[in-house]
């Protein structure tokens, strides 16, 4: 299963992506808290939209990193078919 | 500022929305952890897409709740203009 496999090559932006996801997690926690407190629905919706936009940007950075490292690496090692099939599946799910 | 205002009328699904947001927060935490561990990029992208879909569903439920309670309530109290302006702004941001 490809989802059991982990990478040993470097990802230039991994730490940056993890930091972004941590920040988005904190943002989402505050959205949850404002919802629990009964804050204005329009304001909650705006904040959910901001979380979605931040996730889009994190996904974009991840994808760029993936293209620069994993895909190039896979081509060098001759196992590009599985990597490209996995990436296509992920893109089909991500961009609707 | 409309974002300072809080609601005292009931939202049928508020608890359900808060629970969903809590679950999404946990999901996002696990996505962050799998990214930190260097798990397959395609798999991370699939999970980010799943988080986005769950957020869409939470936003949809919030919006339905808002229409059923806040908007109807605002019309009864004659202050629908501000509520509808806020909602339109939120929709413009949410649906691009």
């Amino acid at each position: 299963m490809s989802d059991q496999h982990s990478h040993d090559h470097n990802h230039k932006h991994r730490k940056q992506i993890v930091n972004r996801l941590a920040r988005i997690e904190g943002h989402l926690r505050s959205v949850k808290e404002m919802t629990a407190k009964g804050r204005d629905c329009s304001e909650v919706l705006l904040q959910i939209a901001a979380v979605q936009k931040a996730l889009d940007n994190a996904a974009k950075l991840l994808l760029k990193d993936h293209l620069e490292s994993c895909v190039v690496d896979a081509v060098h090692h001759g196992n590009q078919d599985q990597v490209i099939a996995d990436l296509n599946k992920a893109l089909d799910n991500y961009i609707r």
Side-chain angles (χ1 to χ4, degrees), chain A:
Chain A
M1 285 285 290
S2 65
D3 54 357
Q4 295 303 315
H5 114 139
S6 79
H7 292 197
D8 47 9
H9 55 266
N10 279 325
H11 289 77
K12 216 164 53 178
H13 300 109
R14 182 184 294 160
K15 201 169 156 39
Q16 197 184 339
I17 295 165
V18 170
N19 289 344
R20 279 192 192 203
L21 291 174
R23 231 176 302 130
I24 299 168
E25 191 189 321
H27 192 168
L28 192 53
R29 189 175 312 121
S30 75
V31 176
K32 180 190 73 185
E33 281 156 14
M34 61 191 274
T35 308
K37 285 177 190 155
R39 280 280 292 279
D40 188 272
C41 314
S42 300
E43 180 62 16
V44 174
L45 208 56
L46 277 173
Q47 293 308 319
I48 294 178
V51 168
Q52 299 263 43
K53 194 163 174 58
L55 278 174
D56 276 338
N57 286 330
K60 192 161 68 180
L61 187 59
L62 181 75
L63 199 54
K64 286 181 176 176
D65 228 18
H66 189 55
L67 290 171
E68 282 179 27
S69 55
C70 315
V71 175
V72 172
D73 189 76
V75 173
H76 282 147
H77 289 81
N79 62 332
Q80 67 266 36
D81 290 356
Q82 185 59 50
V83 168
I84 287 173
D86 285 350
L87 184 59
N88 279 335
K89 191 179 146 208
L91 282 173
D92 278 341
N93 274 278
Y94 196 73
I95 301 168
R96 285 152 299 180

